[in-house]
Amino acid sequence: MRSKRAIWAAAIIAAIIAAALFTTSQGGWYLIIRDAHSGAEYGRWPVEPGEQIGLGFIHSVNLYPLLDVFTVGEDGILYAETTIYYQFGAGVQTELNQGETFSVGEDGALIVDNIHKPFEELSSSAGGFSDRTLLLGTVMQDYSEIKDRIGVYTGQLESQTGGTKIVSLSELCGRDSIITLSCEYQPF
């Protein structure tokens, strides 16, 4: 009789623990940054389909910020949507692909939009001439407030401006790191 009570008590405790783990864990898509060579994980952030992710730096030739903005797809694929830069130079897009649009922003920014190019995985350096800045959230909405922080070494890992989280990839991964960015689904 005593052993049956102990088994029932253990089963009830196990069920309570399982329920607590299930209700406190967060399932869904995560942006994951890894070392490109070893696969070691540097960081992960929950993301929602439709959320914007920016990857920016200061161009080493023209010394202006450059920002690529991606959208998380329903399938977890990162879709390049917009590139913002301030001067033509080495490696900067000078011709539009089919369907893309070009405009000049109020601050003189050169904006290529409607790119919609899918990437299952992105590869980048984490720093070098400038910081690589990761932006998560309402990137385009907050752009005027965050543009002066793109690619700037601050010594700070994370900060928040409006609805956008700003992450220094140099601080997170080290300036000489080569990294990959991708989304993975975690069921719970």
Side-chain angles (χ1 to χ4, degrees):
M1 190 66 133
R2 186 173 219 171
S3 65
K4 284 185 179 181
R5 277 193 208 158
I7 291 172
W8 275 105
I12 291 171
I13 290 170
I16 291 170
I17 290 171
L21 288 173
F22 183 75
T23 59
T24 59
S25 64
Q26 216 177 2
W29 290 103
Y30 284 80
L31 176 71
I32 300 177
I33 298 178
R34 289 190 166 88
D35 182 278
H37 303 294
S38 71
E41 186 176 307
Y42 286 118
R44 68 173 47 221
W45 294 267
V47 292
E48 296 289 328
E51 185 172 344
Q52 295 173 339
I53 295 171
L55 190 59
F57 60 95
I58 295 176
H59 194 282
S60 63
V61 175
N62 64 36
L63 306 179
Y64 285 97
L66 187 145
L67 177 65
D68 291 314
V69 180
F70 303 84
T71 300
V72 178
E74 294 287 334
D75 53 3
I77 301 291
L78 296 171
Y79 290 89
E81 298 296 349
T82 305
T83 296
I84 302 172
Y85 52 97
Y86 288 86
Q87 193 174 54
F88 292 107
V92 176
Q93 184 173 353
T94 58
E95 295 181 9
L96 295 177
N97 295 309
Q98 186 175 357
E100 295 176 351
T101 60
F102 176 81
S103 62
V104 178
E106 290 180 15
D107 64 350
L110 308 173
I111 304 166
V112 177
D113 214 350
N114 298 316
I115 299 169
H116 205 63
K117 182 177 179 182
F119 291 90
E120 288 188 27
E121 182 178 84
L122 299 170
S123 182
S124 177
S125 67
F129 174 78
S130 76
D131 190 7
R132 286 296 192 272
T133 307
L134 175 68
L135 307 165
L136 301 159
T138 54
V139 177
M140 294 302 293
Q141 180 181 328
D142 297 330
Y143 182 71
S144 63
E145 297 174 54
I146 60 178
K147 69 180 180 181
D148 293 333
R149 299 177 65 193
I150 294 172
V152 176
Y153 289 114
T154 64
Q156 187 175 9
L157 177 60
E158 287 187 16
S159 61
Q160 184 87 22
T161 296
T164 302
K165 179 180 290 216
I166 302 167
V167 180
S168 166
L169 293 178
S170 297
E171 290 295 323
L172 179 67
C173 312
R175 285 188 187 187
D176 296 327
S177 298
I178 303 297
I179 59 171
T180 61
L181 297 87
S182 62
C183 290
E184 292 181 14
Y185 190 78
Q186 180 177 319
F188 56 85

